[in-house]
Amino acid sequence: MNRFAATTLLLLGLLLAGPGYAQQPADKETPAADTKPRKLSRKERKELARRAEVDAARQQVRELSEKDREMSESFFVEGVKYVLLEDYNKGLERLLKAYALNPTNAAINYKIAETNLLSGNLKDATNFAQVAVKLDPKNAYYYLLLAQIYSSQKQYDQAAKVYTSLIRDVPDSGYYLFNLADLYMAQGKLNEALTTFEQAEKQFGPLDEVSFKKQQIYLKQNNLDKALQEGEALIASNPDEIRYVLAQAEMYATNNRFPDAIRVAEKALKQDPDNPQARMILADIYRQQNNKPESDKQIKLAFESPALDVDEKVRILVDYIKQLPNPALEKIALDLADITTRIHPKEAKAFSVAGDIQTITEHKEQARDNYLKAIRLDNTKFQIWQQVVLIDAELNQIDSLLRHTDRALELFPNQAPLWYYNGVAQLLKKQPVKGVKALEYGRKLSTDNPELLAQIDTQLGDAYHELKEYAKSDAAYEAALTFDANNAQALNNYSYFLSMRGEKLEKAKEMAGKLVKQFPTNDTYLDTYAWVLYKLKDYTGARQNLEKALKTSSDATIIEHYGDVLFQLGEKELAMAEWQKAKKAGGASALIDRKIKDKKLYE
């Protein structure tokens, strides 16, 4: 037998003999050979498996040369540097080089896992973190990283197992019970969370935050009594901590335990007489009990407190806006708006929301004043400028409308509505050239807003008529009516101006007749229709419509028209009487004095 074969047989013999023992013949009298081996418990099997994994990992350890060790450490440090700079690709490249030289280094595996997590590679992050834990099962940070990786993948059961292992295997890790309990809460495993919190309390004693979280769990479980017990315990152990008192009052109120809620809220007010949250709780309770005077009193007191954030006040006021107009709520809403602007005089949003409430409740001038105050504090909100302009137009305050649109257009030159109202103001100020310029600019900006475009076209029809550019005037009215064939202003003005020019009278009659059919008692439309009929020499028809109009109107133009019709019908004395009425009313045509003086019709 050669030397190699002899050596091989010797090694095989040692392996077969088993480590440290020589083979012996079995003792025939020993009953152990017939005895069945005891089954291992599940816990023992898991522990053996864990030890086997650790042993397997440790068997990979090989002695590094000094050079390899230095290179590995160098790559590791450089990799960590790149990770801190958030260059994860370069960081991972260096860390993997360190790993290739020293794969059983727990810190290297941990850092590779962390880098993969940061770069979104959760699969590799999981694998390396698991190895780090196996290589160094007493390092809490490795467990925490692995739990975080599992949580990132929504593998909450796995994360919970990691925390459980951490708490069991790493000394002085009991405080991670709180992490585990929070994880259970996030999963909705409320019973497990409660049990874990109770373990934490046994280890660390009663803790306020634990009690608070247990209270939240009891609420989710609809166990109101337990939740209230925890709340009372929190108050008893923290008599100066008002947040627990307020939370308890809120809980009582939410569950319609109003006497208890009032008792606890008033307890909070004894500690802090100006506490706005306690006042809000009381206001809500009294509201639900239909005690409006007390509810209004409490909410006003809450609003008087600067401690109630202006954003919270605005949110409450917006809730009121959603319920307006409502006579039962108008006064309290207006009062709260006034308080808000007084307590927060440097907050644009306070004046803005006050303006909104005053607008809805028809306090237009006060609303505009508050909007303007909001603009002085912050002029960047187009919606507030728009509200100011709309109120100017509604109040027919042309000078204000012109002034405010001019200022707003300096800030918002691309807002078509501002050009529209500026153009209207110019027309009303008898400046049709400027009006046309503004309206035409607004028209270019309104291509995506056909409704506004139609309004602009209607005003352009009026403006071009004033400038005697009749073809442009007619085209503008036609454009407006193409969008809305029932546009009352376009129908009325277009037909009236045609009648004054004596052109397209049948078309004018059709448009004016359509209006009168829709609005049979509108004196302006009746006058327009009558004047079209007058131009068509249908004096009887004109008389009938003017007499309907005069039932509700004392307008000088309508009275004068009526006199003209009577004159054409040969009733000259009656015509004179109507002309004199028109002159007395004020606002008749420039021809009224000649008509009266000469007792003759001038057109």
Side-chain angles (χ1 to χ4, degrees):
M1 182 180 290
N2 63 36
R3 187 174 177 182
F4 176 79
T7 305
T8 302
L9 287 172
L10 176 61
L11 288 171
L12 285 171
L14 288 171
L15 288 169
L16 290 170
Y21 295 97
Q23 289 185 338
Q24 300 290 337
D27 189 343
K28 292 181 181 179
E29 296 180 2
T30 303
D34 298 326
T35 303
K36 291 184 178 179
R38 179 178 67 84
K39 286 188 176 180
L40 297 176
S41 68
R42 185 179 179 186
K43 185 176 180 181
E44 289 172 326
R45 289 200 304 273
K46 288 181 70 175
E47 179 61 20
L48 283 174
R50 188 184 70 81
R51 289 181 182 176
E53 288 177 355
V54 172
D55 289 342
R58 286 173 175 163
Q59 284 173 14
Q60 296 178 24
V61 177
R62 61 183 178 85
E63 286 294 324
L64 292 178
S65 66
E66 190 63 29
K67 181 180 178 182
D68 284 349
R69 187 181 303 281
E70 289 177 359
M71 286 182 65
S72 177
E73 289 176 357
S74 175
F75 282 130
F76 180 79
V77 170
E78 196 174 354
V80 170
K81 179 189 74 175
Y82 280 117
V83 172
L84 290 173
L85 294 172
E86 298 185 8
D87 190 341
Y88 301 127
N89 289 336
K90 286 184 179 178
L92 198 56
E93 178 189 351
R94 269 60 170 187
L95 290 169
L96 287 172
K97 286 181 179 179
Y99 173 82
L101 292 166
N102 194 1
T104 56
N105 183 290
I108 294 174
N109 279 273
Y110 167 80
K111 204 64 188 177
I112 292 173
E114 183 185 50
T115 307
N116 276 301
L117 172 63
L118 291 170
S119 60
N121 185 354
L122 298 178
K123 183 178 179 181
D124 284 348
T126 305
N127 293 334
F128 281 99
Q130 287 173 338
V131 172
V133 169
K134 289 172 185 175
L135 290 170
D136 189 356
K138 298 298 180 185
N139 190 314
Y141 291 107
Y142 298 172
Y143 289 92
L144 292 174
L145 178 64
L146 182 57
Q148 183 184 354
I149 294 166
Y150 280 131
S151 295
S152 299
Q153 299 173 83
K154 294 184 169 41
Q155 296 179 16
Y156 300 118
D157 288 336
Q158 291 296 104
K161 288 178 182 176
V162 172
Y163 277 119
T164 302
S165 299
L166 165 60
I167 295 161
R168 182 192 64 219
D169 297 336
V170 179
D172 301 321
S173 296
Y175 46 87
Y176 291 116
L177 284 165
F178 303 114
N179 300 61
L180 179 58
D182 287 340
L183 186 61
Y184 282 136
M185 285 185 71
Q187 290 178 264
K189 293 184 175 181
L190 303 182
N191 288 328
E192 290 87 340
L194 271 176
T195 300
T196 308
F197 278 132
E198 285 164 2
Q199 284 179 257
E201 284 184 320
K202 286 178 184 176
Q203 188 167 341
F204 299 103
L207 295 167
D208 293 346
E209 290 304 315
V210 170
S211 292
F212 193 75
K213 287 181 178 179
K214 284 171 67 179
Q215 187 182 53
Q216 302 311 304
I217 292 171
Y218 288 133
L219 286 174
K220 288 178 181 178
Q221 292 178 327
N222 294 317
N223 192 340
L224 180 60
D225 289 337
K226 280 276 191 182
L228 291 170
Q229 283 176 22
E230 288 289 340
E232 294 293 351
L234 274 171
I235 294 170
S237 59
N238 300 273
D240 297 327
E241 192 65 71
I242 197 168
R243 65 189 175 114
Y244 296 139
V245 182
L246 293 169
Q248 189 77 345
E250 188 73 59
M251 198 183 312
Y252 278 125
T254 302
N255 290 279
N256 299 323
R257 301 268 291 268
F258 295 142
D260 287 322
I262 292 171
R263 170 181 60 80
V264 178
E266 288 177 346
K267 182 176 182 179
L269 287 172
K270 286 178 182 176
Q271 292 177 244
D272 180 6
D274 297 323
N275 188 282
Q277 191 176 345
R279 298 287 183 190
M280 292 298 297
I281 292 169
L282 288 171
D284 191 55
I285 292 168
Y286 290 127
R287 179 188 60 78
Q288 293 185 65
Q289 292 180 329
N290 296 317
N291 187 347
K292 190 175 187 304
E294 192 60 32
S295 177
D296 290 352
K297 173 186 172 183
Q298 294 296 333
I299 197 169
K300 284 182 184 179
L301 287 170
F303 267 59
E304 289 284 355
S305 172
L308 185 63
D309 185 80
V310 66
D311 290 329
E312 179 64 13
K313 290 174 182 173
V314 168
R315 185 193 65 76
I316 294 167
L317 290 172
V318 168
D319 285 340
Y320 276 102
I321 288 171
K322 292 174 182 176
Q323 300 174 70
L324 294 174
N326 180 341
L329 296 177
E330 284 186 11
K331 186 177 187 311
I332 185 63
L334 289 166
D335 288 347
L336 294 177
D338 287 342
I339 294 169
T340 303
T341 56
R342 175 162 49 80
I343 301 299
H344 304 279
K346 295 183 179 179
E347 291 285 353
K349 64 186 76 172
F351 291 100
S352 175
V353 74
D356 291 343
I357 288 173
Q358 290 159 343
T359 298
I360 296 170
T361 56
E362 297 298 327
H363 295 77
K364 296 293 176 66
E365 291 192 8
Q366 287 175 275
R368 183 177 59 184
D369 289 344
N370 275 318
Y371 286 137
L372 289 170
K373 288 175 183 175
I375 284 170
R376 280 197 285 274
L377 292 165
D378 179 4
N379 66 1
T380 63
K381 302 292 189 295
F382 166 69
Q383 292 81 358
I384 301 178
W385 282 103
Q386 189 173 38
Q387 287 296 96
V388 169
V389 167
L390 288 171
I391 292 173
D392 287 338
E394 283 186 49
L395 296 176
N396 200 31
Q397 295 184 356
I398 309 309
D399 289 338
S400 294
L401 181 61
L402 193 57
R403 183 171 65 255
H404 291 143
T405 51
D406 280 343
R407 285 177 57 196
L409 282 167
E410 291 175 9
L411 297 167
F412 307 100
N414 293 324
Q415 287 291 344
L418 293 177
W419 287 106
Y420 167 73
Y421 281 108
N422 185 264
V424 170
Q426 299 285 6
L427 294 181
L428 292 171
K429 292 288 287 182
K430 305 298 183 186
Q431 299 183 69
V433 174
K434 289 183 178 180
V436 165
K437 185 178 179 181
L439 290 167
E440 288 288 7
Y441 197 87
R443 195 178 197 285
K444 292 175 183 176
L445 297 172
S446 302
T447 53
D448 60 344
N449 188 342
E451 188 173 346
L452 177 60
L453 191 60
Q455 292 177 16
I456 291 174
D457 282 328
T458 301
Q459 293 297 329
L460 281 169
D462 295 352
Y464 280 123
H465 173 82
E466 190 72 18
L467 293 170
K468 297 184 173 17
E469 295 187 42
Y470 300 131
K472 289 183 178 180
S473 174
D474 291 356
Y477 285 131
E478 293 287 354
L481 291 169
T482 298
F483 173 74
D484 178 9
N486 295 312
N487 183 323
Q489 184 180 345
L491 288 170
N492 181 71
N493 292 6
Y494 190 14
S495 57
Y496 186 69
F497 291 148
L498 287 176
S499 69
M500 289 181 69
R501 285 154 44 195
E503 298 176 6
K504 305 177 188 176
L505 291 176
E506 288 300 328
K507 182 179 181 65
K509 179 182 177 181
E510 180 186 349
M511 290 189 292
K514 183 177 183 179
L515 259 184
V516 167
K517 190 173 181 180
Q518 288 179 323
F519 307 97
T521 61
N522 185 292
D523 48 54
T524 300
Y525 301 157
L526 286 165
D527 175 59
T528 297
Y529 187 47
W531 201 242
V532 173
L533 295 175
Y534 176 88
K535 288 291 185 175
L536 287 167
K537 302 188 185 308
D538 181 359
Y539 302 125
T540 301
R543 178 178 188 168
Q544 290 171 351
N545 282 280
L546 286 169
E547 287 175 347
K548 289 180 186 177
L550 287 169
K551 288 179 181 178
T552 57
S553 176
S554 56
D555 182 86
T557 300
I558 297 176
I559 297 170
E560 185 178 359
H561 283 170
Y562 186 47
D564 293 354
V565 169
L566 291 173
F567 191 92
Q568 293 286 14
L569 289 169
E571 300 182 37
K572 295 183 180 180
E573 292 301 321
L574 290 175
M576 281 292 298
E578 295 301 320
W579 287 339
Q580 287 170 349
K581 283 183 192 176
K583 178 178 172 61
K584 188 176 181 181
S589 74
L591 298 171
I592 192 69
D593 289 332
R594 287 183 63 193
K595 289 178 183 179
I596 294 170
K597 181 182 177 183
D598 298 341
K599 298 182 181 181
K600 185 177 178 182
L601 178 64
Y602 292 100
E603 294 181 319

